[in-house]
Amino acid sequence: MATDLVEINQEQPQPEALARAAAAVRRGKVVAIPTDALYTLVADPFNLRAVTQVFQAKGREPHRSLPILVSGALMAEELAGELNNRFAILARRFWPGPLTIIVPASAKIPLKVTGNTGRLALRQSRSNVANQLINILNEPLISTSANISGHPTCRSGIEVFGMMDGRVDLVLDGGACVGPGATTVDITDPAWKIIKAGAIEEKEIAECLAS
């Protein structure tokens, strides 16, 4: 496939660029966009062909789950199974922001998205591009780092294009993304745990849940 490169303003995304990305997602394609930390690949989590394309684009192992971007806690609740109080506390404190929360997945989420684990990694981003795209589509988006597995994560649209050309349908180039990636916390077990270190310190999460 030929990968298209379209410029976008991260603060005030152009409607035509967002419309082009939304149309690609609706067709089951994979699109790279800038977020509040890194570039990410987005796609329709309910379209199994699109899910497969994300795994193929990254060369990602099928037992690894695909994180999901949501518009907020209400959308998260629709995608999750039973949620505990820790979810509400963390989402209220850290969303939108760089915290990914692992929760039980509801039956509506394809098992392939969860890496056959039945668990779902959810985040609400601060990114105007991501949030406006979710609002246009009125659905969540797969959101996994825009790189080939094992390679460094890309921090500019040109880097993404150089690495992912021919692997994704469209790259929205918003220039550089700066800042650390999201912290990932798993709250599905009685004892919560950090799965991936990032912008939010473990101490902050502990203090939030203890208060």
Side-chain angles (χ1 to χ4, degrees):
M1 88 180 67
T3 298
D4 292 325
L5 183 70
V6 174
E7 289 189 3
I8 196 164
N9 185 306
Q10 291 196 52
E11 298 304 318
Q12 297 178 308
Q14 297 90 331
E16 58 272 19
L18 290 170
R20 187 162 174 182
V25 171
R26 288 192 186 103
R27 295 198 312 271
K29 303 298 184 181
V30 181
V31 178
I33 66 169
T35 70
D36 43 351
L38 307 167
Y39 273 76
T40 185
L41 301 183
V42 299
D44 180 356
F46 302 112
N47 182 327
L48 284 177
R49 188 166 65 90
V51 175
T52 298
Q53 284 197 332
V54 172
F55 277 104
Q56 290 176 343
K58 284 183 65 73
R60 190 178 180 90
E61 297 163 332
H63 67 269
R64 297 186 64 194
S65 63
L66 296 170
I68 300 286
L69 283 180
V70 294
S71 59
L74 283 178
M75 183 179 281
E77 288 166 9
E78 293 172 3
L79 303 175
E82 188 174 346
L83 290 173
N84 55 40
N85 289 337
R86 287 179 292 191
F87 170 79
I89 292 167
L90 292 173
R92 191 161 51 240
R93 169 69 177 83
F94 294 110
W95 282 7
L99 182 68
T100 299
I101 306 173
I102 297 177
V103 300
S106 76
K108 70 168 63 174
I109 294 292
L111 199 55
K112 190 169 187 176
V113 173
T114 74
N116 296 315
T117 65
R119 296 180 178 187
L120 198 58
L122 301 173
R123 184 169 86 89
Q124 181 188 5
S125 172
R126 291 195 189 107
S127 163
N128 290 333
V129 175
N131 288 327
Q132 290 187 36
L133 189 55
I134 290 169
N135 288 339
I136 291 168
L137 293 164
N138 194 31
E139 68 173 29
L141 289 169
I142 287 170
S143 172
T144 181
S145 57
N147 62 329
I148 296 171
S149 290
H151 289 68
T153 301
C154 299
R155 290 186 176 271
S156 73
I158 294 299
E159 279 185 34
V160 176
F161 186 80
M163 185 180 293
M164 308 297 287
D165 186 18
R167 291 173 174 261
V168 301
D169 189 71
L170 173 66
V171 176
L172 294 186
D173 181 8
C177 283
V178 296
T183 300
T184 301
V185 59
D186 187 341
I187 60 169
T188 59
D189 294 325
W192 63 270
K193 57 182 178 290
I194 298 292
I195 301 299
K196 183 181 178 185
I200 297 172
E201 299 285 340
E202 183 172 357
K203 178 185 172 187
E204 293 180 76
I205 295 170
E207 289 174 349
C208 178
L209 291 174
S211 60

